[in-house]
Amino acid sequence: MAAAVLIGAAATTVATAAPAQAYEDEPPDEQITIEVATVNGSGCAPGTAAVAVSGDNTAFTVTYSDYLAEAGGNSDPIDFRKNCQINLIVHVPQGFTYGIASADYRGFAHLEEGATAMQKASYYFQGQPDTVTEEHPLEAPFTDNWQFTDETDVGQIVYKPCGEDRNFNINTELRVGAGDDPTRKSFIAMDSTDGDIDTVYHFSWKKCPRA
């Protein structure tokens, strides 16, 4: 995988829906790059999130190394919710634009009896009002890896307007509630046994009209 990863100034974000027939044109031949404009949130402290682009330009990956929400036991009361907002500058070849067709999230959770947990994500481009939000609850008791996929219907994919510079925002959240016995800890992590987890975002490409 290849990527340009930079930490820079803040930006705001969001998008417009494209007609169904524009869905999934062939990806551009040229390599795209992604710069990380900002990374903010309790779930992605500096140095704990990285971005890479697949060689065929059909997906990009965000890797987290310290993204965990916990409740109960000796956990800090504020740790029941963690979030991460990543503001991306996606450089695409001239004549193309993109939207996010789907996103795959994975991690590990331990939930005591009566505990609750949720993974949530929203996606939007700078300067436009359309925001796509998905939520996935996890039922207790649970001790295992988890995986959720957000999929957007063909006609509802939000594309960056052609010819305009608009950053792309991904805002994710993990939330957990303590179980029946508050002395026992429950947690949900966007993490894995080796300390890293890849969250994959799948591009949908569209050719822009000729000027």
Side-chain angles (χ1 to χ4, degrees), residues 4-150:
V5 179
L6 304 175
I7 304 299
T12 55
T13 44
V14 126
T16 56
Q21 63 267 26
Y23 175 64
E24 242 180 31
D25 282 344
E26 288 295 317
D29 293 329
E30 300 173 47
Q31 178 69 43
I32 69 168
T33 60
I34 295 179
E35 298 176 24
V36 181
T38 57
V39 179
N40 294 307
S42 54
C44 52
T48 66
V51 180
V53 184
S54 67
D56 62 2
N57 294 345
T58 60
F60 68 92
T61 298
V62 179
T63 301
Y64 301 98
S65 60
D66 187 21
Y67 195 168
L68 178 145
E70 60 184 8
N74 62 352
S75 62
D76 191 313
I78 67 172
D79 287 341
F80 80 97
R81 177 186 178 274
K82 293 294 180 69
N83 81 295
C84 182
Q85 179 157 310
I86 300 180
N87 183 279
L88 301 174
I89 305 170
V90 182
H91 298 279
V92 301
Q94 186 174 3
F96 283 87
T97 188
Y98 71 95
I100 301 301
S102 65
D104 302 319
Y105 296 91
R106 297 187 301 277
F108 185 85
H110 170 74
L111 303 179
E112 295 285 341
E113 191 73 45
T116 59
M118 180 191 69
Q119 182 266 326
K120 179 179 179 181
S122 59
Y123 318 93
Y124 52 100
F125 285 96
Q126 178 179 351
Q128 297 208 337
D130 301 325
T131 301
V132 177
T133 301
E134 300 285 348
E135 295 184 10
H136 301 281
L138 202 58
E139 295 184 0
F142 184 93
T143 302
D144 205 346
N145 296 310
W146 56 265
Q147 179 169 342
F148 298 122
T149 297
D150 296 343

